[in-house]
Amino acid sequence: MASSLLKSASLSLLVALFGCSEPASEHSSLENTPGVSLNNVKQHIKTLASDDFQGRGPLTHGEVKTVGYLSEQYEAMGLAGAYNGKYLQPVKMAMVTANQNMQLQVGDLKFKAGKDFTARTEQLQPLIDVRNSDIVFVGYGINAPEYNWNDYENINVKGKTVIVLVNDPGFATQNDALFTGNAMTYYGRWTYKYEEAARQGAKAVFIVHETAPAAYPWGVVESSNTGTKYTLMDNNLNASKLPVMGWLTLNTTEKIFNAAQLNYQNLKQKALRDDFKATALNLTANLSFKNEVSHAKSHNVVAQITGSDAPNEYVVIGAHWDHFGTKQTDSGPKIYNGAVDNASGTAATLEIARIMNQIHEQTPFKRSILFANFTAEETGLIGSQEFATGGVVPTKQMVALLNIDGMNVLDGTDYILQYGKDLSTLENYLANAAKAQGRVVKIDPRPQNGLFFRSDHFSLAKQGVPSLLFMSLGDTDPDYIAHKYHKEADDYSPQWSLGGVKQDIELIVDIATQLANNGDWPTWTSDSDFKAKREQDKAH
């Protein structure tokens, strides 16, 4: 679909002019570094977040416009395409649109899609039909041997409908000795809940939504799980995926538990213990919905600066280009422009590329710099997952990833946020670069939100690549999460000062320049699958 559009799309969009650079920050640790042009950044955001780009939905004309614009910008700078000499890396995926005229029936109770629950699938089937499926409450739905925790112990959920809690027991108890306390682990993420339930053979999974442990309101769940969704494809129509990936409102959940003559709040408390036993509700679920399924190719945009001494070692700077596109509603089409999330980060990669290319032309970097703008982050990190398979560059040749997802478009701050703690030696680079700017590192004030597991760098981290996340979603704008995040209101504003964008671009350029020249291979410092994978790669 999009691939045919791209073949016929003209790359004749106007190239943004790279005007006079503004002076570098007095705190910059780099000498003779070209300054950040906020005029460039502003024009990029304004363009990418315009209605003309239709919300940058993958596999739409908005994608054609977006990847065309990004390709032109990199080409105008003189950067080479990084995918076999091309700027576009194909990402084969499926587009699945669940018909929202569906109804969940539990016993005699009937619930409405959107208002009471959401349901979708990644199986590439025209019809999903769940009939008389026994319902089981499995607490947090976690099987974590390293924490001596298994909610699925002694229960067979094959073919059943599973209800699980969001987040993990550490958040609920605030006990640092339980999982990692207030800081969410990957076991708390919705992606893990579905992955584990699929491994257990469940037919359907419904995650109970509560705003505090989920870290976002029901409106975000609804907007993120309705409309067209995307998935990578396997050779078996994704048969190994869950038939039903769902959410329940708290009110819906309590009604279901009451019908089962069970107290949801009491069972939720019992689920905090490692000796919790899964509980059958003695009710059955019935749900049927149709899907429109089509196969197509989306695209990551990749460009590079080739190093002089170690061209096969890569410092990666990335940001996802996609957002939610245009949704049809009863009141007409609504465009989700995603100006902060993530036109701002995409614009930053372009400006960083311009700056670093000018540095490289003066004094060539020893290592290569790879710029990657990923597709379909909003629907499950799909573009970065494809990138992590090594089709552009093997992950063992990636020194580090600096990932930008939602910048501080308001005034500058005296701190930089760090996501995760004591994870890798990249944290030392972050602290030193911030200090050079007169800033301090501030640990993520909301570790319970699990943001380290919610953006594209996570796809690379799982393959062993040490990563930093640069994100400021709502940190300087208290209104953002409540009224703009994943909503139609995330629009460009000419009132933005972009002071925070300027600071963080300078900081990222500082870190990337060091890594491009010093020969260091940052390492994971905490024992994890990330660390094991990187050590395995370096051993071969």
Side-chain angles (χ1 to χ4, degrees), residues 8-9 51 106 134 142 147 149 197 201 225 232 261 306 310 318 326 351 368 422 498 526 536:
S8 61
D51 286 355
V106 176
D134 292 333
I142 293 173
Y147 291 110
W149 196 283
N225 289 276
L232 292 176
Q261 298 184 334
T306 303
T326 302
E351 181 63 4
S368 295
D422 300 326
L498 301 182
S526 296
Q536 178 185 358

Side-chain angles (χ1 to χ4, degrees), residues 34 130 154 178 244 251 257 260 284 362 369 375 381 391 407 443 480 485 498 509 519:
V130 176
N154 299 322
L178 191 59
V244 176
N251 184 52
F257 277 67
T284 59
Q362 298 170 13
I369 314 292
T375 183
L381 316 184
M407 303 199 78
I443 301 298
Y480 183 80
Y485 177 57
L498 301 182
V509 168

Side-chain angles (χ1 to χ4, degrees), residues 74-85:
Y74 288 125
E75 184 176 22
M77 296 174 202
L79 272 64
Y83 179 73
N84 299 324

Side-chain angles (χ1 to χ4, degrees), residues 30-212:
L30 299 174
E31 295 182 2
N32 302 320
T33 299
V36 177
S37 169
L38 291 185
N39 287 332
N40 287 348
V41 176
K42 187 176 296 185
Q43 184 60 42
H44 293 320
I45 299 176
K46 187 177 180 180
T47 300
L48 291 164
S50 66
D51 286 355
D52 194 39
F53 279 58
Q54 302 175 1
R56 303 189 307 283
L59 307 180
T60 69
H61 189 64
E63 166 166 347
V64 176
K65 300 275 289 186
T66 303
V67 301
Y69 180 82
L70 297 177
S71 298
E72 281 196 344
Q73 300 306 310
Y74 288 125
E75 184 176 22
M77 296 174 202
L79 272 64
Y83 179 73
N84 299 324
K86 301 176 182 179
Y87 296 105
L88 302 185
Q89 178 198 14
V91 180
K92 294 181 180 179
M93 51 197 283
M95 183 164 55
V96 184
T97 307
N99 188 320
Q100 292 304 300
N101 186 25
M102 66 175 83
Q103 178 179 266
L104 172 64
Q105 183 168 348
V106 176
D108 294 329
L109 300 172
K110 296 179 181 179
F111 300 104
K112 183 178 179 181
K115 176 178 176 291
D116 303 316
F117 76 97
T118 66
R120 64 184 180 93
T121 188
E122 291 184 350
Q123 290 193 353
L124 307 184
Q125 300 292 345
L127 176 67
I128 297 294
D129 196 14
V130 176
R131 300 206 176 191
N132 299 320
S133 174
D134 292 333
I135 302 175
V136 182
F137 174 61
V138 292
Y140 284 91
I142 293 173
N143 179 13
E146 69 271 34
Y147 291 110
N148 193 31
W149 196 283
N150 186 1
D151 289 322
Y152 287 98
E153 189 173 15
N154 299 322
I155 184 72
N156 182 359
V157 299
K158 188 172 183 179
K160 297 179 180 179
T161 293
V162 170
I163 296 178
V164 300
L165 302 171
V166 73
N167 214 310
D168 62 45
F171 171 79
T173 62
Q174 298 293 295
N175 179 358
D176 290 341
L178 191 59
F179 286 73
T180 55
N182 184 54
M184 184 191 289
T185 64
Y186 185 55
Y187 294 113
R189 288 287 293 138
W190 60 264
T191 48
Y192 169 79
K193 311 288 185 179
Y194 295 144
E195 290 165 1
E196 184 59 39
R199 286 189 285 267
Q200 298 288 339
K203 182 80 169 180
V205 175
F206 288 96
I207 302 171
V208 180
H209 174 267
E210 296 191 54
T211 298

